């Protein structure tokens, strides 16, 4: 496993862990976004970062607030807009040519790409995308987020390593990485 360099920066007022895989000469810069309850060094993002690094790309991935080594209430994301704004701020700071998104990070990458002119392309790894959400579901989720904002309502199966990898070794690595927090 190739260890990235770690830097702490402030994004949206929160100390944020920024992990970088930087080759001696770089073809381009990629910003990676991880999924819910994961982090920048979670196996899915790390595997892609290491592959890109080995092929001459600089990869920078930040731990979202409350994830990995960044500060904040574990797993708590105030709103989808706050996460997108956070992603845009990371990209504006790094000025990438490409974005990489895994799971929820895929959604973030799609939204960020529309707002950051330096982005030339995106790579999505098992993106969490739903093109249409009913107004009833939107209203219900909005209401819950205001009444019980820290309630754990996303089923734990959605972050299951067993559903992400068939290979037992990879599943074990994901489980270990989740409990270690990055």
């Amino acid at each position: 496993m190739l260890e990235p360099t770690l830097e702490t920066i402030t994004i949206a007022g929160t100390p944020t862990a920024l992990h970088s895989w930087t080759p001696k000469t770089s073809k381009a810069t990629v910003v990676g976004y991880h999924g819910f309850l994961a982090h920048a060094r979670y196996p899915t993002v790390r595997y892609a970062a290491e592959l890109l690094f080995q092929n001459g790309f600089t990869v920078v991935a930040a731990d979202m607030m409350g994830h990995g080594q960044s500060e904040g209430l574990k797993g708590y994301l105030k709103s989808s807009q706050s996460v997108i704004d956070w992603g845009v701020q990371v990209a504006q700071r790094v000025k990438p040519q490409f974005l990489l998104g895994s799971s929820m990070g895929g959604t973030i990458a799609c939204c960020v790409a529309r707002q950051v002119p330096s982005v030339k392309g995106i790579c999505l790894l098992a993106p969490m995308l739903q093109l249409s959400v009913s107004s009833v579901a939107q209203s219900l989720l909005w209401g819950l987020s205001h009444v019980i904002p820290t309630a754990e309502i996303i089923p734990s199966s959605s972050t299951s390593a067993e559903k992400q990898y068939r290979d037992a070794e990879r599943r074990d690595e994901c489980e270990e990485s989740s409990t270690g927090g990055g």
Side-chain angles (χ1 to χ4, degrees):
M1 175 167 60
L2 176 66
E3 286 296 322
T5 58
L6 175 64
E7 174 185 3
T8 301
I9 61 172
T10 300
I11 299 287
T14 302
T16 301
L18 193 68
H19 306 269
S20 302
W21 292 261
T22 309
K24 288 183 177 151
T25 58
S26 181
K27 295 177 182 177
T29 300
V30 179
V31 165
Y33 299 104
H34 62 80
F36 182 66
L37 293 180
H39 48 83
R41 291 178 47 231
Y42 189 78
T44 307
V45 176
R46 184 175 50 80
Y47 298 150
E50 289 175 354
L51 179 65
L52 288 165
F53 169 84
Q54 290 166 3
N55 286 281
F57 292 86
T58 296
V59 180
V60 179
D63 291 337
M64 277 185 258
M65 60 295 271
H67 290 70
Q69 296 174 324
S70 289
E71 290 188 16
L73 183 60
K74 183 179 176 177
Y76 175 69
L77 301 171
K78 183 178 178 181
S79 68
S80 57
Q81 190 59 54
S82 70
V83 174
I84 294 165
D85 292 345
W86 171 88
V88 167
Q89 289 179 45
V90 171
Q92 287 172 334
R93 179 147 184 170
V94 175
K95 296 178 179 58
Q97 289 91 359
F98 300 97
L99 302 177
L100 168 75
S102 173
S103 189
M104 182 180 68
T107 302
I108 297 166
C110 287
C111 293
V112 169
R114 297 177 73 199
Q115 297 181 49
V116 178
S118 66
V119 174
K120 307 280 186 262
I122 58 177
C123 176
L124 305 176
L125 307 171
M128 178 193 78
L129 301 173
Q130 183 169 349
L131 300 179
S132 64
V133 178
S134 75
S135 59
V136 172
Q138 287 179 14
S139 296
L140 177 63
L141 291 171
W142 183 87
L144 288 172
S145 74
H146 286 78
V147 176
I148 48 174
T150 59
E152 295 181 22
I153 59 173
I154 295 176
S156 61
S157 63
S158 66
T159 58
S160 166
E162 194 168 311
K163 292 187 178 189
Q164 293 182 34
Y165 293 100
R166 286 184 227 160
D167 180 282
E169 187 177 321
R170 298 258 193 261
R171 280 196 307 270
D172 291 346
E173 189 176 352
C174 288
E175 293 295 336
E176 186 177 300
S177 185
S178 292
T179 58

